[in-house]
């Protein structure tokens, strides 16, 4: 009679999110638990919440070990905001500045009359 009772290999003995296991059979025919790593989520844009391109979807501990050039994109707000949101921010800032200039010109024209 073969015993198919399998126990955890680490100290945590509860079925929590961080203690998920896969039942695996070894080449010797033994059943053992293999610990599953948590699924990763892609970094999301702070404005539109879409996944960012060019930023790897890895766990935070692994992300801390990666070099700076891998973690972001070489652009303003790279690794934090997507290109579309950065573009709209730049255009909005430009239009606001243009509006201020137009208001200043109109005020100057008004004072001349």
């Amino acid at each position: 009679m073969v015993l198919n009772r399998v126990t955890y290999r680490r100290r945590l003995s509860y079925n929590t999110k961080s203690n998920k296991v896969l039942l695996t059979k070894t080449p010797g025919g033994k059943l053992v638990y293999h610990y599953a790593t948590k699924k990763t989520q892609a970094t999301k844009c702070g404005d539109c919440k879409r996944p960012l391109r060019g930023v790897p979807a890895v766990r935070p501990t692994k992300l801390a070990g990666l070099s700076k050039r891998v973690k972001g994109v070489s652009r303003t707000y790279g690794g934090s905001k997507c290109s579309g949101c950065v573009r709209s921010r730049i255009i909005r800032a430009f239009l606001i500045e243009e509006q201020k200039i137009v208001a200043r010109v109109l005020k100057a024209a008004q004072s001349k009359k």
Side-chain angles (χ1 to χ4, degrees), residues 62-72:
K62 192 157 187 189
L63 192 68
L66 294 175
S67 65
K68 190 179 176 185
R69 70 175 189 81
V70 177
K71 284 186 236 184

Side-chain angles (χ1 to χ4, degrees), residues 15-87:
N15 186 24
T16 60
K17 281 200 305 188
S18 63
N19 204 30
K20 293 297 176 202
V21 288
L22 304 164
L23 197 60
T24 311
K25 191 175 267 191
T26 63
K30 249 172 70 174
L31 282 176
V32 293
Y33 274 148
H34 280 186
Y35 284 89
T37 54
K38 286 186 179 181
K39 288 221 167 77
T40 58
Q41 280 197 325
T43 309
K44 305 240 180 342
C45 172
D47 292 348
C48 65
K49 309 297 183 225
R50 288 200 196 114
L52 289 177
R53 293 179 179 172
V55 181
V58 292
R59 297 298 301 167
T61 50
K62 192 157 187 189
L63 192 68
L66 294 175
S67 65
K68 190 179 176 185
R69 70 175 189 81
V70 177
K71 284 186 236 184
V73 184
S74 57
R75 175 180 60 236
T76 310
Y77 295 107
S80 171
K81 308 263 188 286
C82 67
S83 61
C85 292
V86 172
R87 181 183 289 129

